[in-house]
Amino acid sequence: MTHTNLEGTSPGRILLNKVPEVTVFFWIIKILATTVGETFADFLSGLGLGLGGTTAVMTAVFVVVLVVQFRTRRYVPAIYWLTVVLISVVGTLLTDNLTDVLGVPLALSTVVFALALGITFVVWYSTERTLSIHSVVTIRREAFYWLAVLLTFALGTAAGDLVSEDLGVGYWATALLVALIIGAIAVSHLVFRADAVLTFWLAYILTRPLGASLGDGLAQPKADGGLALGTTWTSLLFLATILAVVTYLAVTKRDQAAVPEAEAAAIAR
């Protein structure tokens, strides 16, 4: 198998994608990263940094890692998933700042982030004629991709907190409800052949409130409906699991994705 870039392609060659293949490992790490985004942000805030300090530090770290991600020529598991973990934290902090600092109601945040995500998808599609993650092979497509990912985390945080806290559903009930919806989306795609791109992004959005509810359920005090593991142990547990799975993928390359040259050539034009 020969790999190449957009320039100088020839028959039979393929271009490596900048994002992983969507496998069961993808969803496992995504949910774990989402949980870390919820608990690690709370952990850092509790160290004395406060919400403002945590936001400044994590945003700076995220920008540095995102630049590294953009500079890579292919999907690298460690860099990609570190970017996802950090964007999960930043997305959580974005919603938290709106809610706790500016006093924006979660219902309004949910609507605003949903509209922003919808506009991002419209502009992305009008520019690239696709929303598929199977051909994220240009800087512009990758920029759209990471913007959409950031907004899904912010939206998922707002919607999840709205349901579990403002509406009083609770952490575990919210997690179960979201899991059932994700299951229905999976069935719609696998059994009834619903559009792959649509079902992917719906599931991607919903894994945020799922992971956040699980994180809160594990970390929060028992008086608040949690298991009282604390943000430190919950974060460490999930980070260790992410590290183990990412290491496995880096060694086995089971989630390497490639783009057929015909599509790569069309992109190059």
Side-chain angles (χ1 to χ4, degrees), residues 13-261:
R13 291 181 177 180
I14 58 176
L15 175 69
L16 287 178
N17 202 359
K18 287 293 296 290
V19 301
E21 191 64 62
V22 180
T23 65
V24 65
F25 298 106
F26 177 95
W27 294 113
I28 289 174
I29 304 177
K30 171 60 169 61
I31 295 172
L32 293 172
T34 294
T35 304
V36 169
E38 182 73 16
T39 59
F40 194 62
D42 292 340
F43 168 72
L44 290 176
S45 295
L47 291 180
L49 289 176
L51 186 57
T54 300
T55 301
V57 170
M58 295 310 301
T59 299
V61 175
F62 164 64
V63 170
V64 171
V65 174
L66 184 63
V67 170
V68 175
Q69 165 64 25
F70 270 100
R71 290 176 65 85
T72 59
R73 298 179 62 84
R74 54 186 288 176
Y75 162 66
V76 179
I79 298 174
Y80 173 86
W81 286 111
L82 178 58
T83 306
V84 172
V85 170
L86 290 172
I87 206 170
S88 173
V89 175
V90 172
T92 298
L93 291 169
L94 180 59
T95 298
D96 288 347
N97 274 279
L98 288 175
T99 304
D100 299 337
V101 178
L102 299 179
V104 178
L106 286 168
L108 179 58
S109 297
T110 301
V111 172
V112 169
F113 285 130
L115 289 174
L117 182 60
I119 292 171
T120 299
F121 282 143
V122 169
V123 176
W124 183 355
Y125 185 81
S126 65
T127 304
E128 302 293 333
R129 310 310 301 174
T130 181
L131 298 177
S132 174
I133 69 164
H134 298 295
S135 56
V136 180
V137 293
T138 66
I139 292 177
R140 186 166 63 186
R141 287 192 179 186
E142 189 171 11
F144 279 125
Y145 174 80
W146 287 115
L147 176 58
V149 168
L150 174 62
L151 290 172
T152 62
F153 277 112
L155 171 59
T157 300
D161 289 349
L162 174 65
V163 173
S164 64
E165 297 177 5
D166 278 18
L167 298 182
V169 175
Y171 303 128
W172 298 111
T174 298
L176 177 59
L177 175 63
V178 175
L180 290 174
I181 296 174
I182 292 174
I185 292 172
V187 170
S188 72
H189 171 61
L190 297 174
V191 178
F192 299 104
R193 303 303 178 189
D195 183 77
V197 174
L198 174 62
T199 52
F200 168 82
W201 283 111
L202 287 175
Y204 201 95
I205 293 169
L206 289 169
T207 52
R208 178 62 186 88
L210 172 61
S213 297
L214 290 175
D216 283 334
L218 291 170
Q220 295 302 314
K222 293 182 179 180
D224 295 331
L227 296 183
L229 292 182
T231 55
T232 302
W233 284 110
T234 303
S235 298
L236 289 175
L237 174 64
F238 280 76
L239 282 171
T241 307
I242 291 172
L243 179 60
V245 179
V246 170
T247 300
Y248 169 77
L249 293 175
V251 173
T252 63
K253 303 185 184 303
R254 292 194 59 179
D255 62 342
Q256 297 287 340
V259 179
E261 183 182 322

